[in-house]
Amino acid sequence: MATDFFERQSTARRHTKWLIWAFSLSVIGILATTFIVTTMAVGAAEGGPNGFRPGGNFPWHIPGGATVASLALIAGGSMFKIAQLAGGGTGVAERLGGRRIYPNSLEPNERRLLNVVEEMALASGVPVPPVFMMKGEEGINAFAAGFSPSDAVIGVTRGCVEQLSRDQLQGVIAHEFSHILNGDMRLNIRLIGILNGILLISTIGYILMRTSSSSSRFSDSNSKKGSNPLPLLGMLLYVIGYIGVFFGHLIKSAVSRQREFLADASAVQFTRVPDGIAGALRKIGGLVQG
């Protein structure tokens, strides 16, 4: 059994690395596509009614600038979103309706929860995080929030504490400690940030389409047709951005799934009770509410 869960952890980590590479390649593909379609749009506009005639005077600075601008959008949008999400886990737990469970609590269910969290902290080698309970939630659920182990928190619903046995609760809490230990929260926030940056490309494309189409209504009717590449460029950036977001979400979902596999295998390692997390998952799967 020990070999089995260690092998499963290794497989999940290996798959995650490949998916992160795929995510990085998708960003590079977006930049390359931006350069190509911008070149095509400018070429169509420069050629006018007779088509583009290649020569040394092609304005390469336009597709080059569009590519650099796309990179800046992805980087800037990513950093903004990461900064927005990278606050302490306490704020996330409170926004979800969690109430802090303090170590001096004497309520039996809260006491049991705190003891399980302390045990799993020792088993995983992670500092004991603050614990929050969502008392209004009857469904079985738990989460780890925070950008790093130093600001991480564990959150559970009331249903999680009341409906799970101690072994099952241990399995669920150990699962969340794996997310803290393996940096899954930080990884997820970074992927969300990059997706936000890609979405900005589509937003800029939409703005270009709207503004250029509005301005064209007031342009001189005798002006050279096809001389304004902005409507076509805007449409292409809009499409590129949304296609990038679509495939980015697919890769992010695949990464999340591998990290869940890793967390399940780690839960068995920390608890040494395979039936704990397995029993909790069976109970969650058969739950009517939540």
Side-chain angles (χ1 to χ4, degrees):
M1 177 61 67
T3 303
D4 185 59
F5 63 69
F6 280 125
E7 286 178 353
R8 288 178 182 272
Q9 290 180 46
S10 178
T11 299
R13 289 192 177 98
R14 185 169 60 253
H15 289 171
T16 299
K17 289 179 181 178
W18 282 112
L19 289 166
I20 295 300
W21 273 109
F23 198 93
S24 302
L25 288 174
S26 70
V27 174
I28 294 173
I30 289 170
L31 296 175
T33 305
T34 301
F35 181 84
I36 292 170
V37 299
T38 306
T39 301
M40 292 171 60
V42 174
E46 288 289 311
N50 299 320
F52 173 63
R53 294 180 295 275
N57 59 346
F58 185 83
W60 290 107
H61 63 279
I62 297 179
T67 305
V68 172
S70 297
L71 178 60
L73 280 173
I74 294 175
S78 299
M79 289 187 289
F80 174 79
K81 196 67 175 180
I82 289 171
Q84 194 177 48
L85 296 174
T90 297
V92 175
E94 290 175 345
R95 284 197 297 273
L96 291 173
R99 184 179 67 81
R100 175 83 181 267
I101 306 299
Y102 290 96
N104 59 355
S105 173
L106 299 178
E107 200 278 326
N109 279 335
E110 294 179 359
R111 190 74 256 158
R112 181 175 68 131
L113 173 61
L114 290 172
N115 289 340
V116 168
V117 170
E118 290 172 1
E119 291 166 4
M120 293 303 97
L122 288 172
S124 63
V126 174
V128 180
V131 182
F132 287 78
M133 185 187 297
M134 293 173 284
K135 291 184 173 291
E137 297 288 341
E138 297 182 8
I140 300 175
N141 210 340
F143 65 88
F147 194 70
S148 65
S150 62
D151 64 9
V153 304
I154 293 286
V156 299
T157 60
R158 179 168 59 86
C160 185
V161 179
E162 294 179 348
Q163 299 186 52
L164 298 181
S165 67
R166 197 178 197 283
D167 283 348
Q168 291 168 350
L169 182 61
Q170 268 192 333
V172 170
I173 297 301
H175 176 104
E176 300 307 328
F177 267 98
S178 172
H179 287 314
I180 297 174
L181 179 65
N182 290 297
D184 295 345
M185 302 170 296
R186 182 170 59 252
L187 174 62
N188 197 44
I189 288 173
R190 286 174 175 169
L191 292 179
I192 291 172
I194 295 173
L195 283 173
N196 183 69
I198 296 173
L199 182 61
L200 277 180
I201 295 177
S202 187
T203 303
I204 294 299
Y206 178 76
I207 293 172
L208 282 176
M209 281 194 300
R210 291 294 301 270
T211 55
S212 58
S213 62
S214 298
S215 62
S216 65
R217 297 182 191 139
F218 303 99
S219 62
D220 185 7
S221 60
N222 295 321
S223 62
K224 183 181 177 181
K225 292 183 178 181
S227 62
N228 183 11
L230 290 182
L232 178 59
L233 178 59
M235 182 185 70
L236 291 172
L237 290 178
Y238 181 79
V239 173
I240 290 170
Y242 266 105
I243 291 176
V245 170
F246 174 75
F247 285 104
H249 272 299
L250 288 182
I251 298 173
K252 178 183 173 298
S253 297
V255 170
S256 297
R257 188 172 181 82
Q258 293 302 320
R259 304 315 279 185
E260 293 300 322
F261 290 155
L262 174 59
D264 287 340
S266 297
V268 178
Q269 176 190 352
F270 298 154
T271 63
R272 302 289 170 164
V273 182
D275 288 340
I277 186 64
L281 292 172
R282 283 194 295 269
K283 187 168 288 188
I284 293 168
L287 193 67
V288 175
Q289 182 175 2

